[in-house]
Amino acid sequence: SGATPAVSAPAATPDATAFNPKGLDPKTNAKLKVDLKHVPDGLAFTIEMNNKPYLKAVAGEKGSLDNLFVPPGIQEFSVTYVGTGQQKSSNIVSDEFKAKKRRTLHIELMGKTNAPAVVEGALNGKAQLFLSLK
């Protein structure tokens, strides 16, 4: 009585198909720097590129945002934050990326007073994620 091993569906191994922004060739792709100086440490968020997950990160985690690359061409970015039953999405920014050139994605968390919000403030209804590309 030999049990047949279960065959895993492709969806069961998302890591094999997940986009790896650190695995792209630096010679043929653009470098992306992520600026989080206006986001409180400990805030978990997902960066999306062209409506697909690009990177999950936590603000303040050293190294998690180093050595990121983007394929050349026009790419569209947004950021989603999920916490305490709330989800907040940023505005969408897009621009053309060129091989070997560096771009910076600025992520800001704005509170109701337009001052950078603290993590608790991120949970209030008026906080907004704002993106810009430079």
Side-chain angles (χ1 to χ4, degrees), residues 95-113:
D95 208 343
E96 185 172 356
F97 288 79
K98 296 187 168 133
K100 299 188 193 174
K101 300 285 183 199
R102 191 175 107 178
R103 302 301 301 268
T104 301
L105 181 67
H106 296 276
I107 304 174
E108 290 184 64
L109 181 64
M110 306 297 279
K112 58 181 180 259
T113 61

Side-chain angles (χ1 to χ4, degrees), residues 109-124:
L109 181 64
M110 306 297 279
K112 58 181 180 259
T113 61
N114 278 353
V118 294
V119 172
E120 294 78 37
L123 308 178
N124 79 29

Side-chain angles (χ1 to χ4, degrees), residues 34-45:
V34 178
D35 172 18
L36 289 175
K37 68 177 175 259
H38 296 295
V39 175
D41 287 357
L43 190 73
F45 60 92

Side-chain angles (χ1 to χ4, degrees), residues 8 12 28 31 36-38 43 46 54 57 65 81-82 130-131:
S8 63
T28 57
K31 184 158 176 69
L36 289 175
K37 68 177 175 259
H38 296 295
L43 190 73
T46 301
Y54 173 78
L65 298 169
Y81 155 77
V82 179
F130 180 73
L131 297 188

Side-chain angles (χ1 to χ4, degrees), residues 28-71:
T28 57
N29 292 279
K31 184 158 176 69
L32 182 70
K33 180 177 185 245
V34 178
D35 172 18
L36 289 175
K37 68 177 175 259
H38 296 295
V39 175
D41 287 357
L43 190 73
F45 60 92
T46 301
I47 298 174
E48 293 176 345
M49 181 174 74
N50 304 325
N51 296 317
K52 294 188 177 82
Y54 173 78
L55 180 73
K56 287 184 190 271
V58 176
E61 277 187 1
K62 294 283 180 228
S64 65
L65 298 169
D66 293 343
N67 301 314
L68 301 177
F69 294 93
V70 175

